[in-house]
Amino acid sequence: MAKNDGYISAKESRRISRENRKITSAMEKKKNRKRVDPSEYETCMKDSNNILEIDDLHTFFFTDIGTVKSVNGVSFEVPKGKTVGVVGESGCGKSVTSLSIMQLVQRPQGQIVSGSIRFDGEQRCIDIAKATTSVMQEIRGKEISMIFQEPMTSLNPVFRIGMQLNEVLELHNPHMTAEQVKARTIEMLELVGIANSEGVYNMYPHELSGGMRQRVMIAMALCCDPSLIIADEPTTALDVTIQAQILDLLRGLKEKINSSIMLITHDLGVIAEMADYVVVMYAGKVVEKGTAAEIFANPLHPYTIGLLASKPVVNKKVDRLYSIPGKVPNPVNMPDYCYFKDRCEMCVEKCSGPYPDMIKVSDTHFVSCYRYCDGGDK
């Protein structure tokens, strides 16, 4: 990477591209193996109360201008039967973390480089980061499902709604007859609050409104009663009334099928309403995590404080909403100190040192900030 202007020569770009192809080809070859000893990816949960444990996850994108460290050492847990909200500004690594769990990161450029994603499956505990493509195909959609951010681009425009939902059931339940598959699909459409389920079954995506399409995506995600649902900004581009309906629907369905939810959003209001635990991400790292009550009542990291300060408050009139100064560091060339230091208004002398470790404030509250190294705000 050039020191001043950020540009690189064509020769340098070709060199980086050749190196990247070697790295990604080796990773792809390992992922696509057919006969693999299960001991390579079978593991044990550190805490049996968790459905998912992400431990020091690194997901990089190997581009022609360098390696983009989208997820750079993320660690958190999703307890069974609970909702964990992942919050942060655009580009902080929320969606890439969720795509890593599903093994849907755009390959071959995007790769899980290191770390572990332990999932407590129905029959065995799997480390998704080490699982092959064939093993993941058995889990994805059945035990872990995802509600994608934009339903119009996630649904295939040339196939009817019923056909797309049927496909999920047929793939994971080969013993079901065509009549049983159709009956289950219509049942799921009714479950998510679609009154005209028979009619919607035969419609194309463009014939439905945004809220209806989002409900179809939720029905598709819940078809096989997964134990973990990943909702990637499920209320984006929906009006306030439909947002409330979708959130109520998710909350009710979680109780019905006794599953866990990993809710990804940048809307703090949604997090406050839905989440039991909150994970705050910035520049590919977790900067603070704890229960929803702890994060909202006692935010510790300067970034979390800034996020909460930038949220409008009912019955409080201000001339201008607070905004965090500065900009996110270049993900290709990250600094060797705290990534938030250059934007932080609460810096201390230690902040110029190496990136701070996670500091335990309470049994459930953790923060990555030098201000709490000695057990309190110094």
Side-chain angles (χ1 to χ4, degrees):
M1 177 66 70
K3 290 181 180 178
N4 298 322
D5 55 14
Y7 290 97
I8 60 174
S9 66
K11 183 179 178 181
E12 180 69 6
S13 180
R14 286 193 297 270
R15 184 190 65 77
I16 293 171
S17 184
R18 282 194 301 272
E19 289 178 0
N20 288 346
R21 276 198 297 272
K22 288 179 184 176
I23 295 168
T24 55
S25 294
M27 290 180 172
E28 286 293 295
K29 189 175 179 181
K30 188 176 180 181
K31 275 271 189 276
N32 294 326
R33 289 174 300 161
K34 298 296 181 185
R35 295 179 183 84
V36 179
D37 189 342
S39 62
E40 280 193 31
Y41 52 81
E42 288 184 356
T43 184
C44 295
M45 304 295 286
K46 286 186 177 178
D47 186 346
S48 59
N49 294 318
N50 294 330
I51 189 71
L52 184 79
E53 294 175 347
I54 300 175
D55 194 1
D56 198 28
L57 177 66
H58 292 76
T59 302
F60 297 169
F61 288 89
F62 297 91
T63 71
D64 290 346
I65 59 168
T67 303
V68 178
K69 298 177 180 179
S70 293
V71 175
N72 194 15
V74 165
S75 300
F76 65 89
E77 303 80 33
V78 179
K80 291 177 180 176
K82 301 293 184 181
T83 299
V84 174
V86 183
V87 67
E89 62 190 21
S90 296
C92 70
K94 305 186 301 292
S95 292
V96 176
T97 301
S98 68
L99 291 171
S100 299
I101 296 167
M102 296 291 286
Q103 271 201 17
L104 289 176
V105 178
Q106 188 176 5
R107 291 158 59 184
Q109 287 82 13
Q111 297 285 345
I112 298 173
V113 176
S114 64
S116 59
I117 306 169
R118 294 183 293 276
F119 173 68
D120 191 2
E122 293 176 359
Q123 298 176 342
R124 54 186 176 172
C125 182
I126 299 288
D127 187 345
I128 292 171
K130 296 180 177 66
T132 60
T133 303
S134 57
V135 172
M136 196 59 206
Q137 284 173 345
E138 297 172 10
I139 298 171
R140 190 191 299 124
K142 184 182 181 183
E143 297 181 50
I144 308 176
S145 62
M146 187 166 178
I147 303 165
F148 291 94
Q149 188 169 349
E150 177 48 63
M152 193 63 226
T153 55
S154 302
L155 292 168
N156 194 320
V158 300
F159 292 112
R160 297 181 191 273
I161 296 297
M163 190 180 216
Q164 297 188 54
L165 267 73
N166 288 351
E167 185 182 21
V168 179
L169 287 165
E170 288 166 356
L171 178 65
H172 295 292
N173 302 279
H175 60 277
M176 291 178 73
T177 63
E179 291 78 15
Q180 288 174 325
V181 168
K182 183 177 179 180
R184 173 65 175 170
T185 296
I186 291 172
E187 180 192 338
M188 291 308 301
L189 291 173
E190 289 172 352
L191 186 67
V192 297
I194 296 175
N196 181 24
S197 54
E198 291 271 5
V200 170
Y201 181 89
N202 293 308
M203 288 181 182
Y204 288 96
H206 71 269
E207 297 180 86
L208 303 176
S209 67
M212 291 282 274
R213 286 197 293 265
Q214 193 64 279
R215 287 171 189 267
V216 169
M217 288 299 300
I218 293 171
M220 188 181 292
L222 301 180
C223 269
C224 298
D225 292 340
S227 44
L228 176 63
I229 303 164
I230 300 171
D232 188 359
E233 302 200 19
T235 58
T236 299
L238 299 178
D239 61 71
V240 177
T241 308
I242 301 299
Q243 277 189 31
Q245 291 176 5
I246 295 294
L247 293 176
D248 286 339
L249 178 65
L250 278 173
R251 194 185 296 107
L253 290 172
K254 179 174 82 77
E255 301 300 329
K256 279 185 183 178
I257 64 175
N258 193 29
S259 64
S260 306
I261 295 179
M262 179 177 159
L263 179 65
I264 296 165
T265 182
H266 56 262
D267 190 331
L268 291 167
V270 171
I271 291 290
E273 184 181 347
M274 288 284 293
D276 300 301
Y277 297 90
V278 181
V279 175
V280 183
M281 287 186 67
Y282 178 77
K285 282 187 176 287
V286 173
V287 294
E288 188 171 357
K289 59 184 178 181
T291 63
E294 287 171 333
I295 297 296
F296 283 92
N298 183 32
L300 299 178
H301 197 280
Y303 178 65
T304 312
I305 295 167
L307 280 181
L308 292 169
S310 64
K311 186 178 182 294
V313 179
V314 178
N315 297 327
K316 183 179 179 181
K317 187 177 179 181
V318 293
D319 295 328
R320 187 186 181 98
L321 284 173
Y322 174 79
S323 63
I324 299 171
K327 59 182 181 179
V328 182
N330 183 352
V332 178
N333 189 21
M334 298 298 278
D336 55 2
Y337 47 84
C338 175
Y339 297 164
F340 193 64
K341 175 180 176 289
D342 296 332
R343 304 177 69 184
C344 185
E345 298 172 339
M346 306 177 188
C347 276
V348 295
E349 194 174 329
K350 286 184 179 179
C351 292
S352 299
Y355 196 92
D357 294 326
M358 269 289 173
I359 296 152
K360 184 178 180 180
V361 181
S362 72
D363 288 340
T364 53
H365 201 172
F366 297 82
V367 63
S368 176
C369 181
Y370 276 116
R371 293 166 63 229
Y372 304 94
C373 278
D374 301 322
D377 188 349
K378 299 298 181 184

